[in-house]
Each structure stands twice: as structure tokens, then as C-alpha cells.
Amino acid sequence: MTFERPPSLAQHFEAPDGFDAVFGRLCGYSADSAFLDDALERFTRQIRTQRSYDGRIWLAMMLDPGAPQIPFADAPGTAHLQMLADTDRPFALLHAKVALLGFRSSTTPGRWRVRLLVCTGNWTRQTLEESIDLVWCIEVDSETLTSGGSEVKEACADIAAANSLFSWLTTRFDTRLLEASRGRLAESLQAATDFDRCLARCTEVADKQPARFFDNRERSLIEQLPERIKAATTSVRRNYLAMGSGFYEAPSNRCVSSTPRLPAVPIEIRDVLWNAGLLTSTAEIDLFVNPEGCQAIAGGLQALNEEGITVRPAGVPSLVYGENAVRSLHAKFLYGANYRSNTAYCSSPWLYIGSGNLTAPGFTLAAGFNRGNLEAGVVFAPRGMAWWKKAGVGECDVLTNWLPIHWESDCNTIEELKAGDDFPDRSADQVAAPLAWLDWKPLTGGGELVAPEKCVAGVDVLGDGSTTCHRTPNGFLWSGPRPREVMLRWYEDDERALQCLVPVIDELGRIAASPLPEISIEDAWWQLAEFPLPPVIDDDLEYPDDVENEDKYPNGESCDNRSNDRGPPSSYPIRRMMELIEQIAAKQTALCESEWSAWCVRLEQTLLQAANSPAVKYFADLKLNPLSPLRAPPFRPGFAESAANKYGREYEAMLDRIEQAWGVAQLTSIG
């Protein structure tokens, strides 16, 4: 029997059929650009080049302050927010691995979907290629909120609980880039605002429903574990418990005391569950490890055996990774159930997966500076799980096909286990720079990097070779083309030098964006016609650069092959420009208010790309302004017919900028 392999962590970012990405937030211990680029392409359905041109924020990411910075240019669409310099760090490590993703319907206005991911792995390529990790995923669709019953309410409670964690985190991270309001920045802000409305609606529907998602901001994971199990399933004693973790406590020979130490956390979990009436006194207990690196478990094997705990090597779930895959355990999980000799199915099962390793900072301590990590997880009741394969039991129901639980072997001798490495040391904290970004102002031979707020004394912009850029009253001079990002340097307490990359925002409000290619009038329409889908931008296209070449159709057909009712050659650019204006009018008069700001951004960006096309130059030579009809009320939607409201003012200001760039602002209006 064959079965479809479940999606990878990156594939969990894919937009559902019939939906488009809006915005997302994620937190974790670490990430890398390779994973993020993969996840973003699935989330937005835009390749890296498109997102580089787009210059919009799709994902806001908060990582442990010791994680290396992910430049915007390395994972276009991801804003790696840094922790505020003047805030206390309320955790030893930011170790929770959670994502909230928002989508909107491609066809039904007002319909949306929110997805929650809780995983055990980092947002890295290693998670995809080398480790055994687990991910839990739920979604809420706006169409089911009023008729979905208890399951929808439960999912809303989980999303509300995760959103509470993000709300708490964002007060400690620099969100200035997400709060700016011009160009593509404004579109990012609008997307985040729309997403927050969806999350608020989930919170309303959840009401007081208990969540399966939980974190350790106030109480440790182990303290909350019994109540989460009882809320998720029945309060009966189970006769089987499996535990697994990528890291355990440090070996006793690395501690100050010379007395051998029994690994405490697995024993404590067993005792807590027994005292809560969730584990029998004779339960079979398995502890799954990486034999090549299991820290204190290696030296405590005999003591654990004496406590009734069998240490086993983690198995590689064949359903997830395929047969004969070689991977190391990184997942953190607990699985409890009852075994009955008269059935292959697990009775009263429950499962915890999350970020907390079976260590004191990860599982038995609440989050606190130099104390417990910030951890998050979920406890739920998996349905239809079977202990083994037999007639009538599908491959997708077999426990060992999903979890790193296998019983073929155990670690019988101490020699089979190695302590390996401790949890890796973290780097020094990365903190937010005094400036969140710099605006680009073109000048002859380069430009000025303008500070969006009062320039802080002692802040330098580093140019090529780490030389400092010359300061101006408003910012810094830059020699050469606009950079996508620049390195800021400042000093902590006038002593320790700190550095951080910040994005450069161009005239269109695009964040760390690639230079836009020039396009023709025909290609301008193809970019606009796709709205609200992302524009198709291909910098390998060769566009016509003279009027003569514009006398060919896009497919290369000569104008001599067109119908005989065509006018003189001078009518071709006129006709094409007028067709574009009519197409723009037809498109924008059908839009609603919620789409207007994004449309204005798309229209301005696209028409600026066409500023040097032969058709624009032709009208400039005629001393005519081809954009003037777009100001007339019939060419505008009813809500933006005049400058009497914000929609009309936004539109007219955008037309002013395009006319200036086209060199037609002072020319005669058409008609």
C-alpha cells in the first residue's frame, strides 16, 4: 500500500487553494535564509526575484537575540525584528517555535483563513534535511466561524493563545519598520492590520474555550502538563509513556559536584503524571535519545533502568521521511496511551509536541532571565492511532510511522551511549539599531540616506571598506547606486561598538528592493492586469527602445500584417497609450476601498517603470499629458472621485508623482 508523504515544515507555509498570502508572524530560536526563501516562495507564490522587486514585508520574524541577523536582501519579504536595546530580556533563550499565517480568498471578498504552526524544529535548512522534527498545524476559515461548532471554537482558542504570545513578544522588539506608512511600507502595514482583525475575530469566537496551545511565560510546561492533558482527553491512568528530546541535562561530570546525578527531568515528568492520576504505577516508560549525543542520559542509563525507564534510540518515522532515512532526533515530545491486548489501537492517547527540551530551562522552569527559556507547545488527542500494522489498520494510523517511537532495540550498555555536546553556546545579543531604516534621496553621482527620525549622535553608516559616510543635516551621503541595506555602527555606553544592518527605502517605499527594470506600455498593462496578484516582473525581457520597434506586436509580428484600417505610423503610440488609460480606468473603477492603497502603489510603481518607453517620449514631444484623463471622475471609482477624501487625495498625489517622472506635468491636458 502506498501513502502520500506529509508536507515538510516549509510546505506548511503554502497558501491554500483559492487563497492568497496576506501577512505572517513567526518566532523561534534560529533561522536561515535558505529555509525562509523556500517558505516565502510557497507562502506568496512569488520567486525570490519578484519579492526583491516587490520590496514588501510578508513575514515579521522575532528570533533569540543571539541568532545571527537575516538580511532583508537574503530572504526578501522577511523583516528580522531585533530586540529593543532598553528592554529587559524576560527569558534565558527565546526558544518557542511558532508561526501565525494569514490568507485572503482570491475570489470571495471578506473571506479569510488563519493558520497556526507549532513545531519542534528551527526555521532552518537543517530541520528540512537532517533532523527528526514534528509540526502541528490548524486552520480557521472565516466561513466556519458561525457554524463550525466546538472544533472551530477550540481552534480559535489556540490561535488566540498564540496571538497573545506574539503580542507579548512584540512589546520587546523593534516594530518601527512595520508601522511606517508610505509606499510598499504602507501596504505592509495595511496587510498586518487586516491580519490583526482576523486574529481579533478568532479571539472573540474562542470566548473562554481552553486552548491546546500553551507557553511558559508564567508557569513551567511541566506544571501545566496535567491540566492540558485532562482538557484534551479523558482523565484516566495510562500504562504507556514515551518521552523524547533533542537535548537533555548536562552530564554530571561537567558539573561542580563530583556526585553522579540521576537525570532529573524524565523522572520528574513521570512523577507529575502519576500524582495527577494520568499514569499507572507499573506503566511501561520509554525514553528516546540520540545515542551519539544524549548528555546526562549516557551516564545515567543504569539509574534510569532502575527507575523503570528504558532508554531507546530514536526511530526515523518512515511515513514522514521514507524508508532507510538517516536523521537525528531533534523533536521534543511526550506520548501517553493505554495498551490493550485485545486491540491494535491506542486507547485514550495524548501527545505533547513543542519547543521545550527535557531540561530544567526547557521544561521545568518558567521563562525568566538567566532562568527558563521561553517555550511553547501543544497537547492534543490524536485520533485513530494504532500500535502496529495489522489487517484493517492503515499505514497512516500506525504510531511508529509518525513519531520517533520504535521498540526493536534499546540501549543496554553504557558503552552504546555518548554524552556528545551540550546545548550550543549562544552568541552575544543583537539589539535594534537607533534607526530602523534610511530613506533614499537620489543625487548626482549617488544619493543621500535620509534618517526618518532625528539622527542620533554617534551613529555612523559604514560604506565600502568600513569607511564612514559623510554626515548631512538629514542623514548621510552615499556614493554610487542606491544600496539595498547599509551597516549602522553605534556605541553602547560610549564603549562597546555595536553594528546592525538596516534596509534602505526607495522613493516608492520599497524595502531593500532591487532596481526595477524599464518596461514598455504593453508590459505595463500586463503587470496591472494581474492585480491584486503579484506582478510578473522579468528582468531578462528585452523591451523596445525606439518608436520604430513599437510598430511590432509583442509577439514580434510586423505592423504590416495588421488590418488595413490602421492609421498613420504616428497613431500607434497614441492608440497604445489611450488603450492603457482605458484599461486602467476599467480596472480601478471596479475596485473597493480595501484594495485602493495597494492599487495606487502598484499603479505608481508600474507607470514609473514605463517612464522611458517610446510612447511616453512621443507624448512629451507632442506637448500632451496622456495621464490627464485619469483625473476625470468617470475614470475613477466613486469613493475616490475627488480630493474630498483620503482615497482621492492619495490617488491625485500619486498621479502628480508619475506626471513629474514622465515629464508631462506641465503639458496640455487631453480633451
Side-chain angles (χ1 to χ4, degrees), residues 286-500:
D286 290 328
L287 185 66
F288 292 91
V289 302
N290 287 316
E292 297 298 314
C294 55
Q295 295 78 44
I297 306 302
L301 177 62
Q302 183 177 348
L304 287 167
N305 290 162
E306 292 172 355
E307 290 287 337
I309 297 176
T310 302
V311 180
R312 300 183 185 275
V316 181
S318 58
L319 177 63
V320 180
Y321 301 112
E323 297 292 340
N324 304 317
V326 178
R327 290 190 173 232
S328 60
L329 180 65
H330 188 260
K332 303 86 175 161
F333 70 95
L334 304 172
Y335 180 77
N338 268 316
Y339 167 76
R340 300 282 185 260
S341 59
N342 61 348
T343 178
Y345 285 95
C346 307
S347 176
S348 304
W350 61 266
L351 175 64
Y352 155 81
I353 67 171
S355 62
N357 285 302
L358 302 189
T359 64
F363 213 83
T364 64
L365 295 175
F369 182 66
N370 284 337
R371 181 174 164 81
N373 304 329
L374 179 63
E375 308 283 6
V378 60
V379 172
F380 64 101
R383 298 175 181 174
M385 288 286 97
W387 297 104
W388 61 79
K389 180 77 173 70
K390 63 175 293 185
V393 176
E395 295 282 1
C396 292
D397 297 328
V398 179
L399 181 67
T400 55
N401 279 337
W402 286 102
L403 296 177
I405 295 175
H406 288 260
W407 302 288
E408 289 82 1
S409 60
D410 58 31
C411 303
N412 295 315
T413 64
I414 295 178
E415 287 72 22
E416 292 182 9
L417 298 179
K418 297 179 181 178
D421 298 326
D422 291 341
F423 194 84
D425 293 333
R426 62 193 302 281
S427 303
D429 282 358
Q430 176 86 40
V431 297
L435 300 172
W437 76 87
L438 290 163
D439 291 310
W440 177 253
K441 178 182 177 182
L443 299 172
T444 303
E448 183 181 14
L449 298 167
V450 180
E453 50 196 281
K454 185 177 179 181
C455 206
V456 180
V459 177
D460 292 318
V461 170
L462 303 183
D464 294 336
S466 297
T467 58
T468 57
C469 296
H470 180 72
R471 295 177 67 95
T472 70
N474 297 315
F476 309 87
L477 287 179
W478 185 269
S479 177
R482 170 181 56 84
R484 297 177 66 182
E485 295 173 285
V486 293
M487 184 69 73
L488 292 191
R489 182 179 65 193
W490 69 103
Y491 293 88
E492 182 182 56
D493 300 326
D494 296 327
E495 294 180 0
R496 186 167 71 99
L498 301 177
Q499 293 187 172
C500 184

Side-chain angles (χ1 to χ4, degrees), residues 49 51-55 482 484 506 510-517:
T49 303
R51 287 181 278 109
S52 294
Y53 287 133
D54 193 37
R482 170 181 56 84
R484 297 177 66 182
D506 73 0
R510 297 185 307 141
I511 306 163
S514 300
L516 286 168

Side-chain angles (χ1 to χ4, degrees), residues 134-216:
L134 302 169
V135 59
W136 183 77
C137 174
I138 59 161
E139 287 187 354
V140 168
D141 191 307
S142 58
E143 286 198 342
T144 66
L145 289 181
T146 57
S147 59
S150 59
E151 288 187 3
V152 172
K153 203 168 186 178
E154 189 174 46
C156 284
D158 294 324
I159 288 171
N163 189 43
S164 172
L165 173 63
F166 278 107
S167 298
W168 179 82
L169 271 176
T170 52
T171 63
R172 293 158 173 83
F173 282 77
D174 183 10
T175 60
R176 288 174 292 174
L177 192 62
L178 300 176
E179 297 162 359
S181 57
R182 70 179 185 84
R184 300 303 275 171
L185 286 168
E187 191 171 348
S188 302
L189 175 61
Q190 183 62 53
T193 302
D194 292 343
F195 184 44
D196 286 337
R197 290 196 191 99
C198 301
L199 297 173
R201 179 70 180 124
C202 289
T203 301
E204 290 176 9
V205 172
D207 196 19
K208 297 181 181 179
Q209 171 74 32
R212 293 164 293 186
F213 177 93
F214 66 120
D215 62 67
N216 69 336

